[in-house]
Amino acid sequence: STSVEERAQVPPVQEHLASESSKAHDVELLKDISENEDRLLAELSSEGAEQYSGSFRSLALLNVAACLFGSTSVVLKTVEESSPLPFSYITAIRFLIAAACFAPALYKKKLSAEKIRAGGELGLWLFFGYIAQAIGLETTSAARGAFTLAFTVLVVPLLVGFEGRKVPTSNYIGAIVALCGVGLLTTSGEAFSGGDAWCIAAAALFGVHKWRAENYTRRINDTSQLTAMQLVVLAMASGSLALGDYSLHALQGVEYPSLSALETLPWPELLYMGFVPTSP
């Protein structure tokens, strides 16, 4: 009878041991879950901080770029008014300086056919845009030129929309509000002029350039070579324009200032336009 009683007492002991083991397992499991949660929260916090830092940096750079782009009209107008040379010469000098900054990037590695094609197209869009801007600023003020060039913010979303991609309504609203703000700050109440029309055309050309550049940079990783190619094409086209301008006036018997006129050029402004708003 004693052995029967002992056998009857064994199951409760095993049950107790199993229960204790289960509790220990549950404790370990909860501990692992807690540790994993802490690690996951730390990773999410780190990723969030990195994303915020990246977004803030991107927004800061965009604002710096906007300031640099906006300064171009003022500086270019000053150069045109103080230079003895025609705008075609000024444009050529400006873009030769910019191309010299990025030319070494072309020798880092072999240029692909796609980079050459993309750089050629983008460089021409920039060339026509800058020429339209220079012509416009000859007959309009720097403030009105800055305002009309701001139409780029409308051109880009319109082109993206025509391409079939969805553009949030807030983008259009923001662009219109930005235009109104720039207009209130810069317009002088004067009548619309031919120079204003040229600057609007420049804004449209710059918008096409940005739209096409976005499409190309999705496929091209090394943007330094792409930028260099654009600037080289821009400098070559500007140099060709200056040479053609000189040849045409020579045939007409019009005298241009001699090379000594280079000494009287506003070099600080030219270097600023070449190194700062153009080459970056």
Side-chain angles (χ1 to χ4, degrees):
S1 90
T2 305
S3 62
V4 172
E5 289 177 0
E6 288 176 355
R7 279 198 301 270
Q9 291 175 357
V10 169
V13 172
Q14 289 178 342
E15 216 175 287
H16 174 71
L17 291 173
S19 175
E20 290 296 323
S21 175
S22 177
K23 286 180 182 178
H25 179 268
D26 290 344
V27 169
E28 289 295 324
L29 184 60
L30 289 171
K31 184 179 178 182
D32 290 342
I33 291 172
S34 177
E35 289 177 354
N36 287 333
E37 283 181 349
D38 291 342
R39 187 174 68 253
L40 182 59
L41 286 172
E43 289 175 358
L44 288 173
S45 176
S46 175
E47 287 177 7
E50 288 176 4
Q51 287 177 359
Y52 174 78
S53 174
S55 299
F56 179 79
R57 183 167 58 250
S58 299
L59 287 172
L61 290 173
L62 280 174
N63 279 280
V64 170
C67 291
L68 295 177
F69 185 73
S71 71
T72 304
S73 295
V74 179
V75 179
L76 183 57
K77 182 70 175 178
T78 304
V79 171
E80 286 184 349
E81 290 177 345
S82 58
S83 171
L85 296 176
F87 81 86
S88 60
Y89 280 44
I90 298 299
T91 303
I93 294 169
R94 170 188 178 181
F95 296 128
L96 281 171
I97 294 170
C101 295
F102 270 84
L106 296 174
Y107 301 98
K108 287 197 308 181
K109 57 184 178 181
K110 186 178 178 180
L111 276 170
S112 65
E114 186 178 25
K115 285 180 185 175
I116 294 172
R117 183 172 61 253
E121 180 193 337
L122 296 176
L124 289 175
W125 284 119
L126 281 177
F127 170 71
F128 291 123
Y130 281 122
I131 292 302
Q133 180 189 25
I135 294 172
L137 288 173
E138 286 188 330
T139 54
T140 192
S141 66
R144 290 173 69 86
F147 169 63
T148 48
L149 282 170
F151 276 96
T152 300
V153 301
L154 270 181
V155 173
V156 175
L158 284 173
L159 289 170
V160 171
F162 289 149
E163 193 181 22
R165 285 188 280 164
K166 186 177 180 182
V167 179
T169 307
S170 58
N171 285 16
Y172 291 110
I173 295 172
I176 292 169
V177 170
L179 277 176
C180 292
V182 173
L184 291 171
L185 288 171
T186 59
T187 51
S188 55
E190 297 175 4
F192 188 81
S193 67
D196 297 329
W198 276 106
C199 287
I200 290 175
L205 291 164
F206 288 141
V208 174
H209 169 267
K210 287 175 173 58
W211 170 58
R212 294 295 293 154
E214 183 201 8
N215 289 333
Y216 279 122
T217 51
R218 287 178 188 171
R219 306 191 301 269
I220 297 173
N221 294 325
D222 191 350
T223 54
S224 63
Q225 282 196 316
L226 179 61
T227 302
M229 193 65 204
Q230 288 181 71
L231 292 173
V232 167
V233 170
L234 187 54
M236 290 172 63
S238 301
S240 300
L241 176 67
L243 183 60
D245 198 11
Y246 176 82
S247 302
L248 179 62
H249 284 81
L251 289 173
Q252 294 173 345
V254 178
E255 261 188 60
Y256 261 16
S258 63
L259 289 177
S260 61
L262 293 175
E263 297 177 4
T264 63
L265 288 177
W267 283 106
E269 289 86 350
L270 278 172
L271 290 171
Y272 170 79
M273 287 196 299
F275 283 120
V276 183
T278 304
S279 58

